[in-house]
Amino acid sequence: MNYEFPLVFFTVLTQLAVGIALAAAWKERRADGIRPGDNPNRLWQGAFAAAAAGLLASLFHLADPLRAFTALSNVGHSWLSREGLVFGVFAVLLLARCLVQARWLSLLAALAGVVGLVMQGLTYAPVSMPAINNSLPFFLFALAALILGSSFGQEKENSLVSLQRLSLIALLLLLLAVPCVWTSGNALMRATAAAWKASVPFWGGVALLALGLALSFLRRNATVQGLVLLCGILLTRMTFFGDTLHTAGQIGKPF
Amino acid sequence: MKKSEHASGRRDFLKGLLTAGAAGALGGIPGSLLAPRRAGAAPFDPSEYQVFRNACPRNCYDTCSIKTYVRDGVVQFVEGAPESTFTKGSLCVKGYTYPRRIYSPDRIKYPMLQEGRGSGNWKRISWDEAMGRIADKILDIKKRDGNLLGLALSKYSGNFGITNNCVEGMMSSLGYTSRFVGTPCWPAGIDAQNYDLGDMWCNDPEDMARARYIIVWGANPAWCSMHSMKYLYAARERGAKIVVIDPILTQTAAKADEFWQIRAGTDGALALGMARHLLDRGLVDQDFVSRCAVGFEDFAAYLRANVTVEWAAERCGIPAEAIRAVTEEFAAARPATVWIGYGMQRHTNGGSMVRAIDAFVAMTGNIGVEGGGVRYGHLRTWGFNFHAMLQQPPEGSVGFTGATGPKGEFDFADGAKPAAYSDRPLNMNKTAQEILDAKDPEIRMLWISCKNPFAQDFDRNKLEKAFKKLEMVVSVEQFFTETVRHSDIVLPVTTLFEEWTVNVSYWHYWLSLNEQAVKPMHEAKSNLEIAALLSRAMNAREPGSCTFPQEVDGKEWMIKEFNKGIYEQFGLSSWEDLRRGPAKARMASSASWHDRKFATPSGKYEFSSELCARNGFKALPEYVEGRKATAPFRLMTPHVQFGLHSQFVNLDWMEAFYPEPFVYIHPRAAAARKIEDGAMTRVSNAVGEVVVRACITDTVPEDCLVMYEAWFRKLDFNVQNLVDDCAADMGAMKTGAPGVALHDQFVDIAPVGGGR
Amino acid sequence: MSKRYAFLLDMDKCIGCRGCAMACKNFNQLQPDMVWRQVYPLDESIYPHRDRAFLSLSCNHCDNPACLAACPTCSYEKRPDGIVVHHQETCIGCSNCIRSCPYGAPRFNKAEKHAEKCSLCHERLDAGLQPACVQACLTGALQLIDLNAPLPGGLVQYPAGYPNMPRLNPSTRFILPRAPRLARR
C-alpha cells in the first residue's frame, strides 16, 4: 500500500500550522487577549516551524525536489500550484509575524492559512477519485486544522477546549459517516468504503481521536493529548491517501 | 539496458533543446524562469535509419516479414513489412518484443561450462575451449563405439530459418548420428491429409476473405495466427458466417457468430454426423464425389449403417438441431471452408478426426475451390536447395542399418541417400524413453539446438532421469532455460537480427529475406558459424573427421539455398529482389487442388484409402474412440498469445502484460473442489504435478482444466510435468514418428494451503 | 476547422492481443516495466465471458484534460489537433497528473523519475504516419479518427467499464463487442 507519506506529513503539518496561526490570531483579536505569561511569539514560531516542516515534507513527494519552484508555474489552472503558492506565502507571512509583531500581519497570515486550506481541499479532491471528488477533503482538512490548532495553539490553560471537543466530535462523526454514505454510491465509492473500513490505520486513527476526546475530559497533560490527536490525524490521513480508490484501477469493471 | 544507453536520437535531440531552452530561460524574460522552455519534437524521419529486411523464424503460421530500423549499429525498433499483404505492416505482440530480445540483459553472452549439471556453477570459457571439449568428446565416442550413433541431435522448431538446417548438416558432416525424428506439432493431420488428398496443401489463407461460410475447427487464430483474423473479419463483412468449434471458448470463439463447445476428442463423431446429415438431405456434391473421388459409396454405406446425427450429438455434446442447421448452411454456402487446427489432432484418434472432417468438406464439393477448401497447412513453398542440411559424412563412416523413414516433415532430402548406412532415428515425441532405451550404442552425447526439450518434450520427470544417462549435453541457446540448466556446455547463439537466412511459412505463401541487421551481441555465433568452428576443432584433432567447411559466410550460405524453382515460383530475378520486400508465390489459383488432380495413388480424393489401411488404420474415415480418462479432469495445454512454446514469455517486456500463469477451471468444478479465484492449487497425475494459481472462468468446460504452455524465467512452471508421451494415431508416414496425444491428458486438482 | 485526433476502438474486432501496447513499447523505447497503452479485460458482468473482450486504452487526449489542469509545472500541452503532449523535460515528478487522470494514462517512470504518457506518436503523425499502436493493430480494431470529421454511426463514448467523465470529454470512441451464440454441454 502506498500511503504517500510525504503528502500525509505535508497536509497534516501545514494544517497544524494553520490551526496554530488561527488560534494565535484569535487570541490577538483584542489587545487584552494576551494574558500574562503568554508568549504569542512562541505560537507563531511553532506555526512557522510546522509550516516549514510541512513544505519540506512535500519536497520528498517530488522526484526532482531541486526544481520544486517550477511547481508554481501553473497558478492559472492547477490547484496544486495555487496550494503551493498560498502555503509559500503563508510560511513567509508566519516568518514575518515572528519577526515583526503586527496584528495586520497575524490576520494576513491566518487568512492565507485559511485560503491554503481551501486550495488543499481542492487539490486532493481529484475527479479520478469519485469518493473524495467533493468537499470532503476540505472538511477533513479544516477540522484537522481546528483540532490541531486548539491542541497546540494554546498556552498554559486550555481556553480552546470546547472548540477542540466540538471539532473532534465533528471529525469522528464525519469519518464514521462517510464510508456509510459511500455504500449507497457507485461501485468505486462502495469499494472505497470497504477499503477504508478494512484499513488498520483508519481504525487506529479513529481510536486515537476518541482517546484524545476522552483525555480532554480528564484534563491531564495537554501535550500528551495533543500528540495523541496528531497521531490520530496522521493515521486517518494515511487512509485518505492510501486507501481511496482511483478509477484507473477499476477499468474494465463496472463503475 | 544496452538499449537505453543507445537511447533514441529523438531523445538526444530533446535533451539538446532542453539545455538550449534552459540557457535561454535564464537570460530571458523573468516569467520563463518558472516555466522552463519546452522542447518541440521533430517529426519522425525514417531516413535517419538503416532499414533491414528480416523474418520471424518461429514455429508460427504467420511467419511475419519484418522491417528493422537500425541506427548507430543498434536495432531501434521493428515493424511489420507493409509489402506483404499477409503481414500488412503489423507484427504481433511477440514480434514487437524483438528489440528487447537482442539487448536483453538475460542473454547468454559467451560459451559457458557448468561444473556439475544443474549446479548453476557456470564458468565462462573461450569458444576454442568449448569446441575443443566437444570435439574431444565426439572423437572419444567414435573410438569407443566405432561409430557416432552415440551422438544424438535434438532440434526442432525454435528457428525455422532455412540455413539453420546447417545443424543437421553439421551432424551429417561428422558421420552417421542418432536423430530425434518426427514432430510433436501436426503429424497426425499431415498423414490424414496425405491419405485423403495425397499431400497437405491448403488454400492461400488470404482467400478466406472470399468464403461465404467458415468453420474454424480446433484452431485459435486470434492467438496463434493473428494475421489471419483480418480475413475472417473481411469474409464476415461480406456476409459470411463464422462458426468456431473448440472445447475451449477461445478468443476466436468469442469473435464467432456461433460457438460450439465440443467434448474434446469427439470431433470425428461430429464430422461424421454432419456428413450423415448431408446424405440424408441430399446435399452431397454428386459431381465431386463421383468424378473426383474414390470410395464414396463405401463411406456413404458406413455412414448409413453406423452414424446418425443424434449419435453424433450424444458423443460430442452439440445439440442435433444445431448440427443439422449448420450442416445445411455450410452446404448451401459456396464457397465454404473449414480450417482444421493442430490442437484437434493431438489426440489418440487425431488423424482419424482430421480424415472425417476432410470427408465432410469433400462431400460438399468445396475442395479445390477458391475461398473453400479444408485448410491445414502446406509445404509448397519450401523448395530450397537445403544446401546447409545436405552435408556428406566423412569417408568410411559407419552408421545405422535398420529401417528408417523421413526425419520429420521438413526432410526434403529423401531418396538422395547412400544406401549402406543411415542415421539412427529416435522418436522425438518419446525423447525421454528413447534416451533410456537406446542400446548398441547408448546415447552418450546430446546436441540441442533450436529446441528446448525440458519445455517441450513430454514427461519431464522421465526426461530428467534420461538426461542423467547422458555423458555430455551441449545446448545452443540465447537464454538460461531449464534445458540449459541440464547441460554441461552452453553456446550462445545469434538472434534472427544477427544472421542471414531466408524464411517461408507453412500457412501463407510469402517468402522473406532475413538480413543481418546488426553485429552479433557479446560472443554469440550463428548455428552456421558454430558448425564451422566445430569442424575446425575436429579436423585439428583428426584430419578428415568432419566434412563441414571450416570457413563460412552466412550471406553466401543463404544465397546457396536459392534455386531456379524458387526464383520462378516467386517471380524473382535474384534473391536481392527480396531486399525491396517479401515476395508471394505466383499461383495458378488461390485454391489448393484447383485442378482436382489429387496426389493420392488413385489421383482422386480418397474417401477410402488403401494406403491408410496398409499403414494399420481403417481405409474409411471411421469413428475412433478417444483415450480413456484416467483422472477427473482432462488437461489441455495449448498456446498462449504471449509466447511461442517456451519463447517470448521470459522477456521482461512480456512480463509487463503476462506476469504469471494460471490453471483455468470452470466455476462449478472450482466450487466442488473449494477453489477460490486466484487461489493456489496443485494439479497432479501419475506424471507429476504443477502448483499454480487458479483462474475461474466459464470459457473452459466443467470437466477440463486448461494451462497455457510457457517458460517464465522466474517461475518453476512447466506443463510437461503433467503430459505423458502417449502417441497420437498417425504421423509416422510423413514425419517419421506418430504425433503425441498431448490433449488427451488427465489430472486432478486440489487447493493448496487452504485455497488462498 | 482543425482536426481533433482520437482513437477509435472497435471492441467487436479487438482480440486483446496486446500487440498495440507492445508496439508502443517497441517504437517509443519505453523502460522495460513501463507501458503507455494497456489492455484491460472486461469484467464478466459487462461481457459474459472472462478475458474475452477488452478495453485497449492509452491517453484519451481529452477535450479538458485533467492532467493538464493538475500539472503544476505546465508540462502538459494541448495541440490544436487535440493531442495532449506531456513534456518530460519539465516534469518534476509530483505525480499529480497520475492522481488526477481517471484513465491511468500518465504513469511514473521510476528509472528516469518523471511521469510520462502516450504522445499519440505525434512525431509519426507529423511525418504522415499512423501511431505505432494503430499501425500494429492487425485486426483493424484500433484506428485513428478525426472527431471534427463525419463519424460512422454506432460509436459510444462511455462503454461500461470505462470511467464516465463528461467534464473531461475524453476523445476515444468505442464500438461495443458482441458475444457469439453458444451451443455447449
Side-chain angles (χ1 to χ4, degrees), chain A residues 65-84:
Chain A
L66 293 179
R67 287 195 291 159
F69 66 94
T70 64
L72 305 181
S73 310
N74 197 11
V75 171
H77 297 102
S78 170
W79 290 114
L80 180 57
S81 284
R82 294 168 187 163
E83 181 201 17

Side-chain angles (χ1 to χ4, degrees), chain C residues 79-107:
Chain C
R79 305 204 325 179
D81 57 9
I83 301 177
V84 178
V85 181
H86 176 250
H87 294 271
Q88 300 172 5
E89 61 277 14
T90 57
C91 175
I92 57 170
C94 76
S95 299
N96 206 35
C97 53
I98 298 170
R99 272 179 70 78
S100 300
C101 173
Y103 302 103
R107 286 159 191 257

Side-chain angles (χ1 to χ4, degrees), chain B residues 463-509:
Chain B
L463 195 64
E464 192 116 20
K465 212 184 301 164
F467 263 55
K468 292 213 170 85
K469 271 193 74 181
L470 299 170
E471 295 165 21
M472 181 185 265
V473 179
V474 179
S475 277
V476 181
E477 251 299 354
Q478 289 165 353
F479 295 100
F480 283 98
T481 63
E482 226 184 314
T483 298
V484 173
R485 200 201 301 162
H486 287 84
S487 304
D488 301 294
I489 292 175
V490 64
L491 305 175
V493 73
T494 44
T495 64
L496 67 104
F497 301 94
E498 300 157 320
E499 64 190 32
W500 286 89
T501 196
V502 55
N503 292 78
V504 285
S505 159
Y506 49 75
W507 179 240
H508 63 66
Y509 286 83

Side-chain angles (χ1 to χ4, degrees), chain C residues 131-149:
Chain C
C133 54
V134 171
Q135 183 186 318
C137 181
L138 27 67
T139 62
L142 189 64
Q143 298 165 36
L144 185 71
I145 55 170
D146 175 8
L147 290 182
N148 289 340

Side-chain angles (χ1 to χ4, degrees), chain B residues 31-47:
Chain B
S32 63
L33 195 64
L34 282 183
R37 198 177 300 162
R38 288 187 302 228
F44 168 68
D45 182 1
S47 73

Side-chain angles (χ1 to χ4, degrees), chain A:
Chain A
M1 186 56 64
N2 177 10
Y3 288 118
E4 310 253 27
F5 282 108
L7 291 184
V8 168
F9 281 99
F10 164 64
T11 55
V12 172
L13 289 173
T14 48
Q15 284 151 23
L16 171 64
V18 173
I20 296 174
L22 283 173
W26 178 255
K27 285 183 188 177
E28 291 175 10
R29 71 193 185 280
R30 290 193 309 266
D32 60 350
I34 298 164
R35 301 178 188 190
D38 277 3
N39 180 359
N41 259 8
R42 270 191 56 197
L43 284 186
W44 290 109
Q45 285 157 4
F48 173 72
L55 287 169
L56 186 68
S58 76
L59 296 185
F60 288 93
H61 182 61
L62 304 178
D64 189 356
L66 293 179
R67 287 195 291 159
F69 66 94
T70 64
L72 305 181
S73 310
N74 197 11
V75 171
H77 297 102
S78 170
W79 290 114
L80 180 57
S81 284
R82 294 168 187 163
E83 181 201 17
L85 181 68
V86 171
F87 275 120
V89 169
F90 173 59
V92 170
L93 288 172
L94 289 178
L95 182 61
R97 176 60 190 75
C98 292
L99 302 173
V100 183
Q101 291 209 17
R103 267 181 67 189
W104 64 270
L105 259 181
S106 306
L107 281 174
L108 214 52
L111 185 68
V114 172
V115 174
L117 282 184
V118 174
M119 302 290 146
Q120 213 163 40
L122 289 160
T123 302
Y124 300 104
V127 65
S128 55
M129 296 181 181
I132 57 167
N133 181 220
N134 44 43
S135 53
L136 174 66
F138 171 73
F139 284 111
L140 289 179
F141 297 168
L143 288 171
L146 291 178
I147 291 165
L148 295 171
S150 53
S151 306
F152 293 90
Q154 58 195 358
E155 308 265 312
K156 299 275 153 46
E157 73 183 74
N158 196 341
S159 56
L160 299 168
V161 70
S162 17
L163 173 69
Q164 185 193 55
R165 286 181 195 152
L166 209 61
S167 42
L168 251 177
I169 291 167
L171 181 62
L172 278 167
L173 286 176
L174 191 61
L175 286 172
L176 295 173
V178 153
C180 301
V181 174
W182 286 336
T183 48
S184 61
N186 66 25
L188 211 60
M189 290 183 179
R190 290 198 299 276
T192 303
W196 279 40
K197 284 184 199 161
S199 160
V200 174
F202 177 74
W203 291 113
V206 166
L208 286 182
L209 291 173
L211 176 65
L213 184 62
L215 287 176
S216 85
F217 287 101
L218 296 177
R219 292 172 187 268
R220 285 279 170 76
N221 191 329
T223 317
V224 169
Q225 189 224 8
L227 286 174
V228 166
L229 291 173
L230 180 64
C231 291
I233 287 172
L234 283 169
L235 285 172
T236 55
R237 193 59 51 83
M238 281 166 63
T239 299
F240 177 85
F241 281 111
D243 293 310
T244 307
L245 294 179
H246 193 291
T247 48
Q250 303 289 308
I251 294 177
K253 299 188 179 78
F255 282 100

Side-chain angles (χ1 to χ4, degrees), chain C residues 123-173:
Chain C
E123 317 93 315
R124 290 176 64 90
L125 290 182
D126 293 346
L129 299 167
Q130 294 277 298
C133 54
V134 171
Q135 183 186 318
C137 181
L138 27 67
T139 62
L142 189 64
Q143 298 165 36
L144 185 71
I145 55 170
D146 175 8
L147 290 182
N148 289 340
L151 296 173
L155 302 191
V156 175
Q157 189 174 10
Y158 300 108
Y162 178 81
N164 184 339
M165 297 285 161
R167 264 194 287 160
L168 310 185
N169 191 13
S171 70
T172 309
R173 296 293 184 271

